[in-house]
mmCIF file of all heavy atoms in Angstrom:
data_model
loop_
_atom_site.group_PDB
_atom_site.id
_atom_site.type_symbol
_atom_site.label_atom_id
_atom_site.label_comp_id
_atom_site.label_asym_id
_atom_site.label_seq_id
_atom_site.Cartn_x
_atom_site.Cartn_y
_atom_site.Cartn_z
ATOM 1 N N ALA D 12 -49.792 -84.740 -217.975
ATOM 2 C CA ALA D 12 -50.579 -84.703 -219.223
ATOM 3 C C ALA D 12 -51.967 -85.280 -218.989
ATOM 4 O O ALA D 12 -52.949 -84.795 -219.517
ATOM 5 C CB ALA D 12 -49.856 -85.491 -220.312
ATOM 6 N N ALA D 44 -67.083 -86.361 -222.781
ATOM 7 C CA ALA D 44 -67.098 -84.915 -222.985
ATOM 8 C C ALA D 44 -67.994 -84.329 -221.907
ATOM 9 O O ALA D 44 -69.127 -84.784 -221.717
ATOM 10 C CB ALA D 44 -67.671 -84.593 -224.361
ATOM 11 N N GLY D 51 -78.750 -70.540 -213.014
ATOM 12 C CA GLY D 51 -79.632 -70.104 -211.942
ATOM 13 C C GLY D 51 -78.818 -69.411 -210.878
ATOM 14 O O GLY D 51 -77.689 -69.000 -211.124
ATOM 15 N N ALA D 102 -51.973 -93.567 -193.898
ATOM 16 C CA ALA D 102 -51.955 -93.149 -192.497
ATOM 17 C C ALA D 102 -52.880 -94.029 -191.676
ATOM 18 O O ALA D 102 -52.554 -94.452 -190.561
ATOM 19 C CB ALA D 102 -52.378 -91.689 -192.382
ATOM 20 N N ALA D 109 -58.871 -98.546 -189.208
ATOM 21 C CA ALA D 109 -59.486 -98.081 -190.453
ATOM 22 C C ALA D 109 -59.544 -96.559 -190.482
ATOM 23 O O ALA D 109 -60.200 -95.980 -191.319
ATOM 24 C CB ALA D 109 -60.868 -98.662 -190.589
ATOM 25 N N GLU D 112 -62.913 -91.344 -187.889
ATOM 26 C CA GLU D 112 -63.837 -90.441 -188.590
ATOM 27 C C GLU D 112 -63.558 -88.988 -188.215
ATOM 28 O O GLU D 112 -63.346 -88.678 -187.042
ATOM 29 C CB GLU D 112 -65.280 -90.757 -188.194
ATOM 30 C CG GLU D 112 -65.861 -91.960 -188.895
ATOM 31 C CD GLU D 112 -66.059 -91.694 -190.370
ATOM 32 O OE1 GLU D 112 -66.774 -90.729 -190.711
ATOM 33 O OE2 GLU D 112 -65.455 -92.419 -191.204
ATOM 34 N N PRO D 119 -75.629 -76.186 -189.498
ATOM 35 C CA PRO D 119 -74.904 -74.967 -189.831
ATOM 36 C C PRO D 119 -74.752 -74.131 -188.569
ATOM 37 O O PRO D 119 -75.605 -74.179 -187.675
ATOM 38 C CB PRO D 119 -75.836 -74.265 -190.823
ATOM 39 C CG PRO D 119 -76.906 -75.248 -191.161
ATOM 40 C CD PRO D 119 -76.982 -76.218 -190.048
ATOM 41 N N ARG D 124 -65.559 -71.269 -180.253
ATOM 42 C CA ARG D 124 -64.326 -71.488 -179.531
ATOM 43 C C ARG D 124 -63.733 -72.825 -179.963
ATOM 44 O O ARG D 124 -64.462 -73.764 -180.312
ATOM 45 C CB ARG D 124 -64.623 -71.512 -178.022
ATOM 46 C CG ARG D 124 -63.419 -71.284 -177.117
ATOM 47 C CD ARG D 124 -63.889 -70.820 -175.728
ATOM 48 N NE ARG D 124 -64.728 -71.818 -175.086
ATOM 49 C CZ ARG D 124 -64.244 -72.886 -174.406
ATOM 50 N NH1 ARG D 124 -62.966 -73.095 -174.313
ATOM 51 N NH2 ARG D 124 -65.068 -73.734 -173.840
ATOM 52 N N ILE D 141 -66.675 -75.521 -179.912
ATOM 53 C CA ILE D 141 -67.990 -75.028 -179.511
ATOM 54 C C ILE D 141 -68.574 -74.295 -180.717
ATOM 55 O O ILE D 141 -67.956 -73.371 -181.258
ATOM 56 C CB ILE D 141 -67.894 -74.044 -178.331
ATOM 57 C CG1 ILE D 141 -66.867 -74.508 -177.294
ATOM 58 C CG2 ILE D 141 -69.275 -73.802 -177.725
ATOM 59 C CD1 ILE D 141 -67.090 -75.848 -176.677
ATOM 60 N N ARG D 161 -55.706 -82.299 -187.350
ATOM 61 C CA ARG D 161 -55.843 -80.925 -187.850
ATOM 62 C C ARG D 161 -57.161 -80.331 -187.375
ATOM 63 O O ARG D 161 -58.192 -81.006 -187.378
ATOM 64 C CB ARG D 161 -55.846 -80.911 -189.381
ATOM 65 C CG ARG D 161 -54.461 -81.146 -189.962
ATOM 66 C CD ARG D 161 -54.373 -80.575 -191.364
ATOM 67 N NE ARG D 161 -55.213 -81.325 -192.282
ATOM 68 C CZ ARG D 161 -55.441 -80.934 -193.527
ATOM 69 N NH1 ARG D 161 -54.923 -79.798 -193.979
ATOM 70 N NH2 ARG D 161 -56.207 -81.657 -194.319
ATOM 71 N N ASP D 171 -70.926 -74.959 -192.588
ATOM 72 C CA ASP D 171 -72.105 -75.583 -193.166
ATOM 73 C C ASP D 171 -72.345 -76.927 -192.513
ATOM 74 O O ASP D 171 -71.418 -77.519 -191.946
ATOM 75 C CB ASP D 171 -71.892 -75.811 -194.663
ATOM 76 C CG ASP D 171 -72.085 -74.529 -195.440
ATOM 77 O OD1 ASP D 171 -72.863 -73.686 -194.974
ATOM 78 O OD2 ASP D 171 -71.446 -74.385 -196.494
ATOM 79 N N VAL D 175 -66.358 -80.710 -192.582
ATOM 80 C CA VAL D 175 -65.358 -81.326 -191.704
ATOM 81 C C VAL D 175 -64.696 -80.223 -190.894
ATOM 82 O O VAL D 175 -64.186 -79.253 -191.446
ATOM 83 C CB VAL D 175 -64.313 -82.101 -192.525
ATOM 84 C CG1 VAL D 175 -63.199 -82.635 -191.610
ATOM 85 C CG2 VAL D 175 -64.982 -83.262 -193.257
ATOM 86 N N LEU D 176 -64.694 -80.355 -189.586
ATOM 87 C CA LEU D 176 -64.162 -79.324 -188.711
ATOM 88 C C LEU D 176 -62.788 -79.707 -188.164
ATOM 89 O O LEU D 176 -61.946 -78.846 -187.938
ATOM 90 C CB LEU D 176 -65.121 -79.083 -187.534
ATOM 91 C CG LEU D 176 -66.581 -78.812 -187.934
ATOM 92 C CD1 LEU D 176 -67.443 -78.692 -186.683
ATOM 93 C CD2 LEU D 176 -66.699 -77.566 -188.782
#
Side-chain angles (χ1 to χ4, degrees):
Chain D
E112 281 292 303
R124 199 159 61 83
I141 319 301
R161 286 203 292 172
D171 282 331
V175 175
L176 308 176

